[in-house]
Amino acid sequence: MESRKRRKLVLTGLGLESEEIPQTNTSSSISKSKIPDSRRSISPPIRRRPHAIQGLSQNTEDTLHSIEETSHPAKKKFSPEQVSDVSTFSSFSPRETSLNLVPSPVQLISVEDLPKTLNIDTISLKDILGNPLIKECWVFNYCFDVDFVMSQFDKDIRDSVQVKIVHGSWRKDDSNTTRIDEAAGRYPNVQAITAYMPEAYGTHHSKMIILFRHDDCAEVAIFTANMIPGDWRMCQAVWKSPLLPLQTCAYDEQARSSLPLLGSGARFKHDLLAYLQKYETKTKNLVSNLSQYNFTSVRAALVASTPGKQNLRSLDPDTDTLWGWPAIQRVLSSIPMTSSKPHIVIQISSVASIGEKWTSTTFFDALSASATSKDAKKPKPKFSIVFPTPDKIRKSIDGYSSGSSIHMKTQSAAQMKQLAYLKPMLCHWAGDAELQTPKLSSSMAVTPATIRIAGRRRTAPHIKTYVRFADSSMTSIDWAMMTSANLSTQAWGAAISATGEVRICSYEIGVVVWPALWGEDVKGGVQMVPVFGKDTPGSGEDESEAAGAVEGIKTKVGWRMPYDLPLASYGKDELPWCATMPCEELDWMGRSWPGF
C-alpha cells in the first residue's frame, strides 16, 4: 500500500498518468528455494536493442509534451518557444543504407517513472543481474543496500549465487559498515569484503560488477550508480562487455615484453587485472579466475584510479599501468585527432576543492592530449562543465532528495573564489534554463530543429561523462569517457610533485572509447556521433545528423547523450546546486531543503 501511495504521488507531481508508466514489480521479498524449477527455462533472454525509433502518433507526442513540459501540478506548461523531451523523437522511417550503424557502447539506465518512449535502449540493474546462468558475482561500489542488490537476482538462483560485496567502509564504528555486515549476515551466500584503503581521505568510489556464469562465460559491467534504490532513479549510465568466453590457451602475462595496444581487448584485460591486484590478497581468487577469459571482443580502454603514489619517472611505460590523470593522458595521447574546433564537455555530479592551477595546468592539459597535440598549430580545446542548478534538483523526479548525492560547495570565501573561476564554464543539466530561451554556449541559433533532447531533463544527474566534440556544432565526437570519477584531486590525482610522484586517494574506474576502435583509423571511414533518445545513430535523415555528415564515412558509432545540446550557459545570477546550503523554495512535492 505504501508503495502504491508513493507511486501515485510521484506520478501526480510529474503530470504522469499510471498507464503511461511501465509497471514493475518492486517487491524485495527473497525466495528461499535453492533449486531452480526444472520446468522453467534457464536460457538467457534474447537481447533486443532497436536500431531505429518508429514514428510516434500525434496523441503520443502530445502526451509526452505534456509530461516533460510540466514540473508539478502548480506549474504552468512551457511557452510555445520551449521544446519538450519529445522534439528529438520526430517521425522517422529507416531507409536502406550502406552505412554500418553501431549502437552506443554505453547505455543509460531505465528510470521507472519515465514513460517507455523515454526509456528506449536503456538498461536496468535487473538486466545485469537477473540472468539465471550467473553463478558468482563480484560487486564493487561505494554505497550498498544489500537487500536491494539481492532482489535483482533471478529468484531461482538468489540463494545459491555466490555474491562478494566489495566496499571501502573500513572503520568499525562506521554506520555503513554496520549496515553492510548485518545485511550480508542474513544471506549465507553473501560475503562482505573491505577494500584496502591506505589513504585517509580516499573513498572506494569504483562502481563495477564482474560476473561468472554456468555457461563458462564472464561479463564485466562498469557504471555510475551506487547500489541503492534511489540511485537507480537518477540519470546513470552503464558500459557492459560482451560475453567473454574461456581462453583456449593458458594466459601468461609474464611472457609479454610490452603492453598490448590501448583500446584492444588484451590491453583492457591487462589493466583490469592490474587494477584488481591493488586489492591485494582479497581479490587473489578473482584475478586468477578472470585471467582465464578471453577479452578479444572488448573495444575500450580502461581508465582507473587506485590509492597510493606512483612515480612517473621510474615507471616503465612499456609494462606498467598508469592511474588517474596520467592514465587518461596516456590513452588520449595515442588517439590522432584532426578536429578544428575541439570542445571538451565535463559532466559530473560533484566538484571538490580543486584550485585553478590544478584544473588548468594538470587536469585540463591531460584531457587536451592527443597523438597530434604537440603540433603548435592545433587549436586548444574549449571546456564546459555541465552541472545542475537548484531549479533542476527541485524539478527532478525525487525533488530535493536527489540533491543529497550531488555536491559543489559555494559558501566559504575559498569556495566562492573557485566558483568565480568555474562560472564561465558552467552549463545547465537540462537545456530549458529556468523555462526561458537558453543562453547558448555556442553560436548556434536556437530553433526546435537544432535543439537535441536527451530525454533526461527530470532525472537528477549522478552520471559522469567526459566528451571531446570535434566541431562547434557538436555533431561529431573525438573520444568519450564514462567513469565513476568526479572533478577532484582525490579521484584523478594531485599535480606531479618535484620528485615525479602523483598521489591518488580513491578507487575509481571508467572506460574511454573513440571512433578508430571500430575501424583502422578516423580517415578510414569511422565517425562517432552523439545520439539522443536511442542508442543507434541514424544514416543522416535528420538535420543534426546531416550537419555532422563527413564524406567517406562507412561506419557510424553512437554515443548516448544524457544531456541536451546545444549547451545552455548559466545566467549571471545563477548558482550551482549546493547540498549544504538550505533552500526555502519548495520542490515539486512541496518540500524545502534544510541543507546538511
Side-chain angles (χ1 to χ4, degrees), residues 2 58 96 105 188 251 288 351 382 495 516 531 560 580:
E2 283 292 327
Q58 185 61 47
E96 296 252 339
Y251 178 74
S288 176
V351 179
K382 172 185 177 180
V531 289
R560 183 67 177 265
T580 58

Side-chain angles (χ1 to χ4, degrees), residues 166-185:
V166 184
H167 63 93
S169 300
W170 56 272
R171 294 182 178 88
K172 292 299 182 182
D173 58 348
D174 190 321
S175 59
N176 192 46
T177 306
T178 303
R179 283 195 300 270
I180 292 173
D181 289 343
E182 289 179 352

Side-chain angles (χ1 to χ4, degrees), residues 74-223:
K75 287 281 185 182
K76 295 180 180 180
K77 292 183 179 179
F78 290 179
S79 63
E81 292 80 24
Q82 299 309 311
V83 182
S84 75
D85 269 7
V86 297
S87 63
T88 191
F89 305 132
S90 56
S91 296
F92 172 75
S93 299
R95 67 187 181 190
E96 296 252 339
T97 174
S98 59
L99 277 175
N100 177 30
L101 303 177
V102 180
S104 171
V106 303
Q107 293 177 270
L108 297 182
I109 69 162
S110 177
V111 179
E112 180 182 344
D113 289 289
L114 294 179
K116 291 180 179 179
T117 44
L118 298 183
N119 276 324
I120 293 172
D121 291 344
T122 56
I123 188 171
S124 68
L125 183 55
K126 195 171 285 288
D127 291 332
I128 300 171
L129 296 181
N131 195 301
L133 290 177
I134 297 171
K135 65 178 180 180
E136 184 177 337
C137 172
W138 288 73
V139 188
F140 297 75
N141 219 301
Y142 177 57
C143 291
F144 281 94
D145 178 334
V146 176
D147 293 325
F148 170 69
V149 174
M150 297 305 293
S151 71
Q152 306 302 307
F153 289 102
D154 184 276
K155 62 183 179 63
D156 284 343
I157 66 162
R158 194 171 291 154
D159 295 331
S160 59
V161 59
Q162 297 302 302
V163 180
K164 315 294 183 182
I165 301 291
V166 184
H167 63 93
S169 300
W170 56 272
R171 294 182 178 88
K172 292 299 182 182
D173 58 348
D174 190 321
S175 59
N176 192 46
T177 306
T178 303
R179 283 195 300 270
I180 292 173
D181 289 343
E182 289 179 352
R186 296 195 291 270
Y187 302 91
N189 52 319
V190 175
Q191 179 186 0
I193 299 173
T194 305
Y196 172 62
M197 301 295 299
E199 294 286 341
Y201 297 102
T203 60
H204 185 261
H205 204 244
S206 294
K207 293 154 176 58
M208 175 172 63
I209 291 173
I210 298 176
L211 302 172
F212 297 99
R213 298 162 37 120
H214 286 289
D215 59 357
D216 290 336
C217 288
E219 195 170 21
V220 178
I222 295 172
F223 47 97

Side-chain angles (χ1 to χ4, degrees), residues 152-416:
Q152 306 302 307
F153 289 102
D154 184 276
K155 62 183 179 63
D156 284 343
I157 66 162
R158 194 171 291 154
D159 295 331
S160 59
V161 59
Q162 297 302 302
V163 180
K164 315 294 183 182
I165 301 291
V166 184
H167 63 93
S169 300
W170 56 272
R171 294 182 178 88
K172 292 299 182 182
D173 58 348
D174 190 321
S175 59
N176 192 46
T177 306
T178 303
R179 283 195 300 270
I180 292 173
D181 289 343
E182 289 179 352
R186 296 195 291 270
Y187 302 91
N189 52 319
V190 175
Q191 179 186 0
I193 299 173
T194 305
Y196 172 62
M197 301 295 299
E199 294 286 341
Y201 297 102
T203 60
H204 185 261
H205 204 244
S206 294
K207 293 154 176 58
M208 175 172 63
I209 291 173
I210 298 176
L211 302 172
F212 297 99
R213 298 162 37 120
H214 286 289
D215 59 357
D216 290 336
C217 288
E219 195 170 21
V220 178
I222 295 172
F223 47 97
T224 61
N226 287 292
M227 300 304 274
I228 55 178
D231 263 35
W232 294 82
R233 295 166 54 78
M234 303 174 75
C235 185
Q236 311 276 10
V238 177
W239 175 88
K240 196 166 67 162
S241 76
L243 289 180
L244 309 172
L246 281 170
Q247 293 183 152
T248 55
C249 57
Y251 178 74
D252 185 4
E253 176 65 27
Q254 302 300 321
R256 293 188 180 275
S257 58
S258 62
L259 293 176
L261 289 175
L262 283 161
S264 68
R267 178 59 176 270
F268 188 98
K269 177 178 181 177
H270 172 278
D271 290 342
L272 178 58
L273 294 178
Y275 168 83
L276 293 172
Q277 286 168 349
K278 291 294 182 176
Y279 292 84
E280 300 185 341
T281 58
K282 299 181 180 183
T283 54
K284 183 179 179 180
N285 290 338
L286 171 60
V287 171
S288 176
N289 291 337
L290 194 59
S291 67
Q292 300 175 43
Y293 289 83
N294 188 327
F295 280 68
T296 302
S297 57
V298 172
R299 302 185 192 216
L302 188 83
V303 172
S305 295
T306 60
K309 297 178 181 178
Q310 55 185 338
N311 193 307
L312 301 186
R313 296 175 186 171
S314 62
L315 288 174
D316 185 345
D318 291 329
T319 58
D320 293 327
T321 297
L322 295 179
W323 312 111
W325 65 259
I328 185 62
Q329 186 175 52
R330 173 190 269 181
V331 171
L332 300 183
S333 294
S334 71
I335 306 173
M337 303 177 208
T338 58
S339 48
S340 59
K341 294 183 178 180
H343 188 171
I344 296 176
V345 180
I346 299 169
Q347 177 275 305
I348 29 70
S349 63
S350 180
V351 179
S353 298
I354 48 180
E356 182 176 349
K357 184 177 180 181
W358 178 87
T359 305
S360 60
T361 62
T362 297
F363 193 56
F364 282 6
D365 278 358
L367 293 182
S368 300
S370 74
T372 52
S373 61
K374 293 183 179 180
D375 186 343
K377 297 180 181 179
K378 293 297 179 184
K380 290 187 176 182
K382 172 185 177 180
F383 282 87
S384 294
I385 299 172
V386 174
F387 196 87
T389 59
D391 183 68
K392 300 304 173 286
I393 300 300
R394 278 191 289 272
K395 294 172 182 174
S396 66
I397 288 175
D398 286 332
Y400 281 133
S401 298
S402 299
S404 62
S405 55
I406 300 174
H407 305 281
M408 187 191 298
K409 294 183 178 180
T410 59
Q411 292 168 289
S412 71
Q415 291 161 0
M416 291 304 294

Side-chain angles (χ1 to χ4, degrees), residues 418-468:
Q418 175 172 291
L419 178 61
Y421 164 67
L422 297 176
K423 184 74 179 285
M425 293 182 275
L426 290 176
C427 296
H428 284 271
W429 164 247
D432 56 353
E434 301 302 333
L435 309 185
Q436 298 173 2
T437 302
K439 174 187 175 184
L440 296 182
S441 60
S442 73
S443 59
M444 294 180 64
V446 184
T447 66
T450 59
I451 296 180
R452 292 168 284 170
I453 310 299
R456 286 298 181 270
R457 287 180 174 179
R458 297 300 169 248
T459 56
H462 193 261
I463 183 175
K464 295 94 174 156
T465 59
Y466 299 69
V467 181
R468 173 167 160 148

